[in-house]
Amino acid sequence: ETGVTQTPRHLVMGMTNKKSLKCEQHLGHNAMYWYKQSAKKPLELMFVYSLEERVENNSVPSRFSPECPNSSHLFLHLHTLQPEDSALYLCASSQSPAFGQGYNEKLFFGSGTQLSVL
Amino acid sequence: AQTVTQSQPEMSVQEAETVTLSCTYDTSESDYYLFWYKQPPSRQMILVIRQEAYKQQNATENRFSVNFQKAAKSFSLKISDSQLGDAAMYFCAYRRYNNNDMRFGAGTRLTVKP
Protein backbone atom coordinates (compact mmCIF):
# COMPACT_ATOMS: atom_id res chain seq x y z
CA GLU A 1 0.00 0.00 0.00
CA THR A 2 1.73 3.14 -1.18
CA GLY A 3 -0.67 5.72 0.19
CA VAL A 4 -0.97 7.38 -3.21
CA THR A 5 -2.84 5.46 -5.88
CA GLN A 6 -2.90 6.36 -9.55
CA THR A 7 -5.14 4.94 -12.27
CA PRO A 8 -4.84 3.82 -14.94
CA ARG A 9 -1.32 2.44 -14.84
CA HIS A 10 -1.04 2.59 -18.63
CA LEU A 11 -3.00 4.62 -21.17
CA VAL A 12 -2.85 4.76 -24.94
CA MET A 13 -4.86 7.45 -26.64
CA GLY A 14 -5.24 9.11 -30.00
CA MET A 15 -4.76 12.81 -30.48
CA THR A 16 -8.49 13.43 -30.69
CA ASN A 17 -9.43 11.45 -27.57
CA LYS A 18 -10.43 12.78 -24.20
CA LYS A 19 -9.26 10.89 -21.16
CA SER A 20 -8.65 11.50 -17.47
CA LEU A 21 -5.96 10.43 -15.06
CA LYS A 22 -6.95 9.83 -11.47
CA CYS A 23 -4.98 10.14 -8.26
CA GLU A 24 -6.11 9.34 -4.75
CA GLN A 25 -4.16 9.77 -1.54
CA HIS A 26 -4.96 8.01 1.73
CA LEU A 27 -2.47 9.90 3.87
CA GLY A 28 -4.54 12.83 5.07
CA HIS A 29 -2.34 15.30 3.20
CA ASN A 30 -3.51 18.74 2.16
CA ALA A 31 -1.40 19.33 -0.94
CA MET A 32 -1.33 17.38 -4.20
CA TYR A 33 0.85 17.65 -7.29
CA TRP A 34 1.07 16.55 -10.90
CA TYR A 35 4.52 15.93 -12.37
CA LYS A 36 5.50 14.96 -15.90
CA GLN A 37 8.46 12.59 -16.31
CA SER A 38 9.94 12.31 -19.79
CA ALA A 39 12.87 10.07 -20.67
CA LYS A 40 16.26 11.55 -19.77
CA LYS A 41 14.72 14.82 -18.62
CA PRO A 42 14.13 16.20 -15.14
CA LEU A 43 10.69 15.85 -13.65
CA GLU A 44 8.54 18.82 -14.52
CA LEU A 45 6.07 20.21 -12.02
CA MET A 46 2.75 20.80 -13.78
CA PHE A 47 0.24 21.71 -11.08
CA VAL A 48 0.02 22.13 -7.34
CA TYR A 49 -3.14 22.14 -5.28
CA SER A 50 -3.29 23.10 -1.65
CA LEU A 51 -6.53 22.78 0.30
CA GLU A 52 -8.21 22.14 -3.06
CA GLU A 53 -7.08 25.49 -4.45
CA ARG A 54 -4.71 25.58 -7.39
CA VAL A 55 -1.66 27.53 -6.35
CA GLU A 56 0.83 26.90 -9.13
CA ASN A 57 0.51 26.34 -12.85
CA ASN A 58 3.86 26.21 -14.54
CA SER A 59 2.74 27.34 -17.98
CA VAL A 60 1.24 24.02 -18.86
CA PRO A 61 -0.69 23.89 -22.17
CA SER A 62 -4.44 24.14 -21.84
CA ARG A 63 -4.89 20.66 -23.27
CA PHE A 64 -4.06 19.56 -19.72
CA SER A 65 -6.80 20.46 -17.26
CA PRO A 66 -6.49 19.60 -13.55
CA GLU A 67 -9.31 19.12 -11.11
CA CYS A 68 -9.16 18.72 -7.34
CA PRO A 69 -12.67 18.09 -5.97
CA ASN A 70 -11.40 17.39 -2.44
CA SER A 71 -8.13 16.99 -0.59
CA SER A 72 -7.95 13.26 -1.33
CA HIS A 73 -8.56 13.26 -5.06
CA LEU A 74 -6.80 14.81 -8.01
CA PHE A 75 -7.58 14.45 -11.69
CA LEU A 76 -5.79 15.40 -14.87
CA HIS A 77 -8.14 15.77 -17.83
CA LEU A 78 -6.53 15.30 -21.21
CA HIS A 79 -7.80 16.41 -24.60
CA THR A 80 -6.30 16.90 -28.04
CA LEU A 81 -2.88 15.78 -26.88
CA GLN A 82 0.24 15.67 -29.03
CA PRO A 83 2.70 12.78 -29.41
CA GLU A 84 5.29 14.77 -27.45
CA ASP A 85 2.95 14.60 -24.46
CA SER A 86 3.76 10.91 -24.16
CA ALA A 87 5.39 10.48 -20.76
CA LEU A 88 4.99 9.13 -17.26
CA TYR A 89 2.62 11.30 -15.24
CA LEU A 90 3.25 11.18 -11.53
CA CYS A 91 0.97 12.33 -8.77
CA ALA A 92 2.32 13.25 -5.37
CA SER A 93 0.99 14.52 -2.07
CA SER A 94 2.46 16.18 0.99
CA GLN A 95 1.45 17.57 4.32
CA SER A 96 2.93 21.00 3.81
CA PRO A 97 0.74 23.90 2.82
CA ALA A 98 1.38 25.53 -0.52
CA PHE A 99 2.90 28.72 0.79
CA GLY A 100 4.54 30.28 3.69
CA GLN A 101 5.46 27.44 5.99
CA GLY A 102 8.89 26.50 4.74
CA TYR A 103 8.42 22.91 5.62
CA ASN A 104 10.81 20.33 4.28
CA GLU A 105 8.09 17.73 4.19
CA LYS A 106 8.74 15.05 1.66
CA LEU A 107 6.52 14.23 -1.25
CA PHE A 108 4.78 10.86 -1.40
CA PHE A 109 4.47 9.65 -4.96
CA GLY A 110 2.16 7.28 -6.76
CA SER A 111 3.40 4.79 -9.33
CA GLY A 112 2.38 6.97 -12.23
CA THR A 113 0.39 6.61 -15.42
CA GLN A 114 2.45 5.77 -18.49
CA LEU A 115 0.77 7.72 -21.27
CA SER A 116 1.29 7.08 -24.97
CA VAL A 117 -0.24 9.46 -27.50
CA LEU A 118 -0.51 8.07 -31.00
CA ALA B 1 15.87 29.87 -11.72
CA GLN B 2 17.04 26.93 -9.70
CA THR B 3 18.45 24.02 -11.65
CA VAL B 4 19.67 20.63 -10.59
CA THR B 5 22.36 18.78 -12.52
CA GLN B 6 23.22 15.12 -12.29
CA SER B 7 26.27 14.58 -14.48
CA GLN B 8 26.23 10.77 -14.37
CA PRO B 9 23.42 9.28 -16.52
CA GLU B 10 24.49 5.78 -15.48
CA MET B 11 26.57 4.27 -12.70
CA SER B 12 27.50 0.74 -11.80
CA VAL B 13 28.67 -0.79 -8.51
CA GLN B 14 29.59 -4.24 -7.31
CA GLU B 15 27.41 -5.69 -4.60
CA ALA B 16 28.72 -4.84 -1.10
CA GLU B 17 30.86 -1.99 -2.40
CA THR B 18 30.40 1.76 -2.13
CA VAL B 19 29.22 4.14 -4.83
CA THR B 20 28.83 7.92 -4.92
CA LEU B 21 26.26 9.71 -7.06
CA SER B 22 26.91 13.35 -7.92
CA CYS B 23 24.53 16.29 -7.85
CA THR B 24 25.08 20.00 -8.23
CA TYR B 25 22.52 22.75 -8.11
CA ASP B 26 22.27 26.38 -8.89
CA THR B 27 20.56 28.83 -6.57
CA SER B 28 20.88 32.30 -5.13
CA GLU B 29 18.86 31.35 -2.07
CA SER B 30 20.36 30.65 1.35
CA ASP B 31 17.46 28.64 2.77
CA TYR B 32 16.46 25.53 0.93
CA TYR B 33 16.18 21.77 1.16
CA LEU B 34 17.83 19.00 -0.79
CA PHE B 35 16.58 15.49 -1.39
CA TRP B 36 17.56 12.23 -2.97
CA TYR B 37 14.74 10.11 -4.34
CA LYS B 38 14.92 6.56 -5.61
CA GLN B 39 12.70 5.27 -8.42
CA PRO B 40 12.76 1.47 -8.79
CA PRO B 41 11.14 -0.35 -11.73
CA SER B 42 7.82 -0.11 -9.92
CA ARG B 43 8.04 3.61 -10.84
CA GLN B 44 7.11 4.89 -7.39
CA MET B 45 9.49 7.59 -6.22
CA ILE B 46 10.72 6.95 -2.69
CA LEU B 47 12.58 9.42 -0.51
CA VAL B 48 16.05 8.19 0.39
CA ILE B 49 17.47 11.10 2.35
CA ARG B 50 17.02 14.83 2.84
CA GLN B 51 19.16 17.72 4.00
CA GLU B 52 18.31 21.19 5.28
CA ALA B 53 20.71 23.78 3.90
CA TYR B 54 21.12 25.51 7.26
CA LYS B 55 22.47 22.33 8.83
CA GLN B 56 26.20 21.82 8.50
CA GLN B 57 26.07 18.19 9.53
CA ASN B 58 25.64 15.76 6.67
CA ALA B 59 22.48 13.68 6.79
CA THR B 60 22.72 9.91 7.13
CA GLU B 61 20.13 7.16 6.84
CA ASN B 62 21.57 3.73 7.50
CA ARG B 63 23.70 2.86 4.44
CA PHE B 64 22.94 6.19 2.76
CA SER B 65 24.79 9.38 3.50
CA VAL B 66 25.33 12.69 1.77
CA ASN B 67 28.26 15.01 1.29
CA PHE B 68 26.72 18.47 1.36
CA GLN B 69 29.05 21.25 0.25
CA LYS B 70 26.99 24.43 0.42
CA ALA B 71 29.62 26.79 -0.96
CA ALA B 72 30.23 24.49 -3.90
CA LYS B 73 26.49 23.80 -4.29
CA SER B 74 27.17 20.12 -4.32
CA PHE B 75 25.06 17.35 -2.80
CA SER B 76 26.39 13.86 -3.47
CA LEU B 77 24.87 10.60 -2.28
CA LYS B 78 27.02 7.78 -0.96
CA ILE B 79 25.61 4.28 -0.82
CA SER B 80 27.64 1.90 1.31
CA ASP B 81 27.48 -1.89 1.23
CA SER B 82 25.43 -1.76 -1.97
CA GLN B 83 22.64 -4.28 -2.30
CA LEU B 84 20.84 -5.64 -5.32
CA GLY B 85 17.72 -3.82 -4.20
CA ASP B 86 19.51 -0.50 -4.51
CA ALA B 87 19.35 -0.78 -8.30
CA ALA B 88 17.11 2.05 -9.47
CA MET B 89 17.00 5.56 -10.90
CA TYR B 90 18.18 8.12 -8.37
CA PHE B 91 16.99 11.70 -8.55
CA CYS B 92 18.46 14.67 -6.77
CA ALA B 93 15.96 17.40 -5.92
CA TYR B 94 15.98 20.97 -4.61
CA ARG B 95 13.19 22.82 -2.91
CA ARG B 96 13.35 26.46 -1.99
CA TYR B 97 12.18 27.53 1.43
CA ASN B 98 8.52 28.57 1.36
CA ASN B 99 7.97 27.16 -2.07
CA ASN B 100 6.23 24.05 -3.37
CA ASP B 101 8.21 23.79 -6.57
CA MET B 102 10.59 20.88 -6.08
CA ARG B 103 13.18 20.84 -8.88
CA PHE B 104 14.61 17.52 -9.97
CA GLY B 105 17.71 16.49 -11.84
CA ALA B 106 17.55 14.20 -14.86
CA GLY B 107 18.49 11.16 -12.79
CA THR B 108 21.25 8.58 -12.52
CA ARG B 109 20.56 4.95 -13.31
CA LEU B 110 22.38 2.75 -10.80
CA THR B 111 23.13 -0.87 -11.64
CA VAL B 112 24.27 -3.24 -8.90
CA LYS B 113 26.29 -6.23 -10.07
CA PRO B 114 26.14 -9.45 -8.05
Side-chain angles (χ1 to χ4, degrees):
Chain A
E1 174 60 49
T2 66
V4 180
T5 305
Q6 287 188 246
T7 55
R9 188 167 174 81
H10 301 275
L11 178 62
V12 179
M13 58 186 290
M15 289 190 285
T16 58
N17 292 159
K18 290 184 180 181
K19 297 287 184 182
S20 296
L21 309 185
K22 179 182 177 181
C23 177
E24 183 174 1
Q25 59 98 358
H26 314 277
L27 301 168
H29 290 163
N30 55 17
M32 297 186 76
Y33 312 74
W34 279 117
Y35 279 88
K36 176 183 179 183
Q37 184 179 10
S38 303
K40 299 183 180 180
K41 291 177 63 177
L43 271 71
E44 302 170 50
L45 179 63
M46 300 177 72
F47 300 102
V48 179
Y49 276 83
S50 176
L51 301 174
E52 302 150 45
E53 297 279 332
R54 189 162 73 189
V55 293
E56 287 210 33
N57 174 357
N58 290 308
S59 303
V60 177
S62 59
R63 57 186 183 269
F64 295 92
S65 175
E67 179 189 1
C68 188
N70 55 61
S71 60
S72 299
H73 294 85
L74 184 66
F75 295 90
L76 188 62
H77 303 301
L78 316 171
H79 64 98
T80 9
L81 293 192
Q82 305 298 310
E84 60 264 29
D85 296 323
S86 298
L88 180 67
Y89 289 83
L90 292 166
C91 174
S93 70
S94 74
Q95 188 53 47
S96 59
F99 284 119
Q101 302 301 315
Y103 295 146
N104 67 347
E105 284 298 327
K106 63 182 182 179
L107 299 181
F108 289 77
F109 284 86
S111 297
T113 294
Q114 186 67 54
L115 173 67
S116 298
V117 182
L118 304 178
Chain B
Q2 296 85 26
T3 59
V4 180
T5 303
Q6 293 179 249
S7 59
Q8 305 153 318
E10 296 184 359
M11 288 286 285
S12 171
V13 64
Q14 205 70 33
E15 192 176 8
E17 295 191 347
T18 296
V19 64
T20 298
L21 308 184
S22 301
C23 174
T24 58
Y25 56 95
D26 179 30
T27 184
S28 57
E29 304 290 331
S30 58
D31 293 328
Y32 50 87
Y33 307 102
L34 297 164
F35 306 82
W36 277 99
Y37 277 87
K38 169 185 176 181
Q39 186 179 40
S42 67
R43 305 186 323 209
Q44 188 200 5
M45 301 271 279
I46 302 165
L47 179 69
V48 174
I49 199 166
R50 61 186 170 193
Q51 173 85 39
E52 293 93 331
Y54 65 87
K55 289 187 177 179
Q56 293 186 336
Q57 187 174 5
N58 289 326
T60 62
E61 287 286 342
N62 301 314
R63 297 182 295 107
F64 299 88
S65 62
V66 298
N67 183 5
F68 174 46
Q69 301 290 326
K70 191 172 184 179
K73 298 179 184 176
S74 171
F75 183 61
S76 62
L77 174 69
K78 185 172 82 171
I79 306 174
S80 304
D81 186 24
S82 297
Q83 301 176 359
L84 296 177
D86 295 333
M89 283 290 290
Y90 285 82
F91 293 91
C92 179
Y94 164 100
R95 182 172 183 164
R96 184 161 52 101
Y97 182 83
N98 276 351
N99 192 288
N100 267 315
D101 190 352
M102 185 175 286
R103 298 293 174 115
F104 288 82
T108 296
R109 181 173 300 282
L110 177 67
T111 302
V112 180
K113 298 179 180 178

